Amino acid sequence: MTITVDSTSVLEATAPFAAFESLESEVRSYCRKFPAVFHRARGAELYSEDGKRFIDFFAGAGTLNYGHNNPFIKRRLLDYLNSDGVVHGLDMYTVAKREFLTAFNKTVLQPRGLDFKVQFCGPTGTDAVEAALKLARKATGRSGVIAFSGAYHGMSRGSLAVTGSRRARRAGGIGGGDVTFVPYEDGPQGPFDSIALIERMLDDPSSGMEIPAAVIVEPMQMEGGVYPASADWLRRLRTLTEQHGILLVVDEIQAGCGRTGTFFCFEHSGVVPDVVTVSKSIGGYGLPLSMSLFRRELDVWEPGEHTGTFRGNQLAFVAATAACELWGDPKFRTDIAVASRRLERFRAELTSVDAGLVVRGRGMALGIDLGRVGGPDRAERLQRYAFDHGVIVERCGRHDEVIKVLPPIAIDIVRLDRGLEVLRDGLLAV
Ligand code: PMP
């Protein structure tokens, strides 16, 4: 049987996909790139129902930083379920929520001197972005937002309005509205001094740009092609927004939760944002949890002004509390540092494989940019090669020309090495 990513040949090839193909909408996406029916998972490995093993370098798009079915977190979840712990609680006070808030404050916020309030949003990342933008508009009384080319913030209307992709925006029927896009610090067209541009537009009373409510930024653009912002650029952005009373919203949904070597990616720059969006891996076990964190003074919400049935999944609270505890284990932190160094070494090795490659990243995130050496076609072939050799890796960037290496941060070195070897061989083969 030959499996290809072309949906027609997949259709012809097998029955295991028939239910999906006849019943599930055409909108489905990842399954087309990774045509297998997955069944079990553990750590950095996924198994398909026909018994094939895959090393997962995609990790639920950054949701599984602690790996699949992390045994420490699983034990907590099983204990909670066995004790008939509340599973759905709207936004009521629950023991699980209290334990999470306390653990998150103790492990993440307090040690960083962050005096943030926590807003639990709807289940997924885009809900945190919606809530953050809504709060910024309410708190400042302004409506405009500055966002960056290449940005990805989600698929609901407000988040899509600050997302760069024309294709995604068109699908959502999003017009220009009150969002102004400026280039990010770096991108496929090279570096750009966007801070100077924003500064100029804000300082000139006749520039045509209203003072916005917020600037929303990813400290490292992931979907845009794995572009980390420099500390200096983020600091300049912080100073500029402060000077003009504009709120700085930092989207940590994919780059956060330890992915880049610090808990929040913005920590590399030393800036303190006004609002931070967190989701994906904060749920510890791949369970939905989404939060907007903001400076205490910004808590201008009236009770019930922003609600939702699924704000605070209790199982996610339990898993997230256990994940917070993992950070207290020195071995856990050392293992991540070792894996990050391994990935850093791999980055250096890649230049000897192909001098034209541009490799970017930070910590446990790496983008192998094939833009100048084969482009999207070669990236697609490499993704295919990896899948055929048991490694799941996603593409990103403006034209899907970047291979995004995103293993669980808690991956063991043997599997990390094996996966990297496949990518190295793949680069030579395709
Ligand atoms: N922000 C960023 C930076 C993201 O990477 C994503 C998801 N890829 C989102 C927001 C939206 O999250 P979700 O898909 O959970 O709505």
Side-chain angles (χ1 to χ4, degrees), residues 146-215:
I146 294 178
F148 293 96
S149 308
Y152 186 89
H153 297 291
M155 284 281 135
S156 53
R157 206 164 169 83
S159 308
L160 200 49
V162 289
T163 287
S165 160
R166 272 187 210 131
R167 178 174 180 249
R169 294 161 60 80
R170 269 189 208 130
I174 298 289
D178 47 14
V179 177
T180 306
F181 280 93
V182 294
Y184 196 63
E185 183 184 21
D186 196 7
Q189 286 155 299
F192 187 87
D193 191 354
S194 29
I195 308 296
L197 172 65
I198 303 172
E199 200 159 28
R200 190 173 169 135
M201 297 301 280
L202 294 177
D203 285 345
D204 179 354
S206 292
S207 69
M209 185 200 273
E210 293 293 334
I211 304 294
V215 173

Side-chain angles (χ1 to χ4, degrees), residues 67-316:
H68 291 271
N69 295 321
N70 181 293
F72 177 75
I73 304 177
K74 180 162 69 180
R75 211 172 317 122
R76 289 290 179 79
L77 285 170
L78 290 174
D79 289 348
Y80 188 77
L81 285 170
N82 280 330
S83 68
D84 281 336
V86 171
V87 170
H88 183 265
L90 295 165
D91 78 342
M92 293 197 227
Y93 295 148
T94 62
V95 172
K97 191 200 286 192
R98 182 171 59 205
E99 288 181 351
F100 168 68
L101 280 169
T102 310
F104 185 65
N105 192 38
K106 183 167 157 247
T107 321
V108 176
L109 298 181
Q110 269 180 358
R112 290 162 180 81
L114 298 171
D115 186 23
F116 283 161
K117 292 287 282 288
V118 179
Q119 178 183 1
F120 295 109
C121 310
T124 195
T126 198
D127 296 308
V129 174
E130 294 286 348
L133 295 178
K134 197 163 147 182
L135 181 75
R137 288 179 168 124
K138 182 171 158 66
T140 59
R142 299 179 219 128
S143 65
V145 175
I146 294 178
F148 293 96
S149 308
Y152 186 89
H153 297 291
M155 284 281 135
S156 53
R157 206 164 169 83
S159 308
L160 200 49
V162 289
T163 287
S165 160
R166 272 187 210 131
R167 178 174 180 249
R169 294 161 60 80
R170 269 189 208 130
I174 298 289
D178 47 14
V179 177
T180 306
F181 280 93
V182 294
Y184 196 63
E185 183 184 21
D186 196 7
Q189 286 155 299
F192 187 87
D193 191 354
S194 29
I195 308 296
L197 172 65
I198 303 172
E199 200 159 28
R200 190 173 169 135
M201 297 301 280
L202 294 177
D203 285 345
D204 179 354
S206 292
S207 69
M209 185 200 273
E210 293 293 334
I211 304 294
V215 173
I216 183 163
V217 65
E218 291 158 90
M220 171 154 77
Q221 284 193 340
M222 301 298 287
E223 301 300 329
V226 190
Y227 289 97
S230 71
D232 180 54
W233 188 81
L234 280 176
R235 277 191 220 120
R236 286 174 65 209
L237 187 59
R238 176 65 287 189
T239 306
L240 180 67
T241 46
E242 233 159 44
Q243 279 167 354
H244 290 271
I246 300 165
L247 299 183
L248 181 62
V249 180
V250 173
D251 184 341
E252 289 273 339
I253 289 171
Q254 192 165 159
C257 296
R259 172 60 59 189
T260 65
T262 47
F263 191 85
F264 295 113
C265 184
F266 68 73
E267 286 176 64
H268 294 285
S269 65
V271 306
V272 178
D274 299 302
V275 185
V276 181
T277 55
V278 187
S279 186
K280 292 197 189 262
S281 279
I282 194 69
Y285 204 73
L287 292 166
L289 186 57
S290 182
M291 313 191 302
S292 169
L293 318 171
F294 37 81
R295 283 194 292 109
R296 194 163 284 276
E297 318 82 86
L298 290 174
D299 195 3
V300 294
W301 289 120
E302 298 286 334
E305 237 179 354
H306 188 85
T307 66
T309 306
F310 292 105
R311 280 170 305 142
N313 178 303
Q314 306 295 311
L315 284 179

